[in-house]
């Protein structure tokens, strides 16, 4: 009997945003019976051999419900414990404390006062997806109203100095499948971009990229550190996307580590990446 794989989405994008289109034939070629289903649909997720989070981009407004659903799925990739840790960006502070090169990050919980960097800075919710709720402020600006609005919605605010290299070089996303480097792509600056028609994420300008050695070295260190914090092996992560930017000194910094539902840039790389993804799914089941 063929193994079954469900690619998990949300009601607004029941078959994803198109980035995973090549994954379906790649999995099918390795013997999988593949379907799409929103995470809150009546689909029988417990019967599937592999339930793969791909486009669950409405989770931020329903995180407790989403996490409860994740806990109920026996064969979820990435696992529920990873999802719980990774869907709150406070993990960035944990990685900072572990000695990683991370964009400086301050958390302001509801009821606590905020202080702001002397340079341009960004304020966003610690639980969020698609850059919703993120805003950039000029040096010296008072972002207290934005922080208060996030607090009123029950969010912890996350404050980071804006990395000006994004304006010229954008971000670099390195994709790992089964703990092994697969490919990379660049992302243009998103703050100020228009919202996609789904209303779930800001539109992005993406392009293939070849990561330099220092970026690869940091991404490797980040995955090792995150795996240690989670108490798992890197190989247990079906997918990971490490988003990097350049700091003022030109060195790479971690902006985000995406382990839950990131676009993996299959449209920005060669077709063999989808085959590597399908092979990684088989590896997880083995």
């Amino acid at each position: 009997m063929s193994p079954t794989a469900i690619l998990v989405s949300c009601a607004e994008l029941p078959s994803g945003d198109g980035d995973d289109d090549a994954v379906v034939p790649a999995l099918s070629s390795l013997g999988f019976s593949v379907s799409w289903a929103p995470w809150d649909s009546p689909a029988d997720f417990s019967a599937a051999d592999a339930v793969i989070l791909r486009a669950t981009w409405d989770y931020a407004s329903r995180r407790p419900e989403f996490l409860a659903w994740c806990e109920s799925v026996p064969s979820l990739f990435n696992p529920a414990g990873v999802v719980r840790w990774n869907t709150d960006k406070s993990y960035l502070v944990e990685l900072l404390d572990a000695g990683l090169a991370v964009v400086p990050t301050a958390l302001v919980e509801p009821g606590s006062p905020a202080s702001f960097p002397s340079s341009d800075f960004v304020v966003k919710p610690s639980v969020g997806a698609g850059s919703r709720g993120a805003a950039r402020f000029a040096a010296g600006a008072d972002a207290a109203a934005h922080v208060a609005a996030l607090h009123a919605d029950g969010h912890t605010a996350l404050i980071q100095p804006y990395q000006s290299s994004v304006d010229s070089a954008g971000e670099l996303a390195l994709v790992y499948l089964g703990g092994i480097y697969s490919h990379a792509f660049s992302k243009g600056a998103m703050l100020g971009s228009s919202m996609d028609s789904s209303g779930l994420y800001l539109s992005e300008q993406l392009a293939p990229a070849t990561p330099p050695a220092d970026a690869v070295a940091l991404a490797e260190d980040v995955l090792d550190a995150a795996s240690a914090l989670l108490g798992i092996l890197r190989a247990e992560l079906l997918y990971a996307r490490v988003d990097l930017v350049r700091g003022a000194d030109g060195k790479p910094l971690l902006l985000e580590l995406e382990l839950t539902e990131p676009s993996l840039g299959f449209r920005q790389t060669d077709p063999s990446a989808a085959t590597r993804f399908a092979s990684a799914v088989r590896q997880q089941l083995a």
Side-chain angles (χ1 to χ4, degrees), residues 3-170:
T4 56
I6 300 178
L7 304 179
V8 188
S9 59
C10 57
E12 292 84 353
L13 292 167
S15 298
D17 68 348
D19 189 61
D20 294 298
D21 286 355
V23 166
V24 175
L27 284 166
S28 297
S29 71
L30 295 188
F32 284 88
S33 174
V34 189
S35 61
W36 279 93
W39 67 270
D40 55 355
S41 72
D44 187 3
F45 296 103
S46 63
D49 296 291
V51 178
I52 305 168
L53 298 172
R54 294 309 312 123
T56 56
W57 295 324
D58 63 349
Y59 79 83
S61 61
R62 307 166 59 189
R63 184 170 177 260
E65 181 184 354
F66 178 64
L67 292 178
W69 174 83
C70 289
E71 296 285 356
S72 75
V73 178
S75 298
L76 186 71
F77 300 103
N78 284 323
V82 173
V83 173
R84 181 176 295 278
W85 182 78
N86 188 238
T87 50
D88 188 326
K89 294 181 179 62
S90 60
Y91 72 79
L92 290 169
V93 175
E94 293 185 54
L95 292 172
L96 265 171
D97 291 344
L100 276 296
V102 180
V103 172
T105 301
L107 300 172
V108 184
E109 297 181 354
S112 299
S115 59
F116 305 110
S118 57
S119 60
D120 288 9
F121 61 95
V122 174
V123 180
K124 53 190 171 183
S126 67
V127 175
S131 293
R132 297 192 304 278
R136 176 182 173 182
F137 295 89
D142 185 355
H146 189 64
V147 172
L150 293 177
H151 286 173
D153 287 336
H155 292 294
T156 293
L158 184 149
I159 301 174
Q160 297 173 315
Y162 184 75
Q163 304 301 309
S164 60
S165 65
V166 172
D167 294 332
S168 57

Side-chain angles (χ1 to χ4, degrees), residues 178-216:
I180 299 172
Y181 173 78
S182 172
H183 59 278
F185 58 96
S186 64
K187 303 165 59 181
M190 291 176 63
L191 293 177
S193 301
S194 59
M195 190 66 70
D196 176 79
S197 59
S198 68
L200 294 176
Y201 57 90
L202 293 177
S203 298
E204 298 177 296
Q205 295 181 337
L206 309 177
T210 300
D214 61 349
V216 175

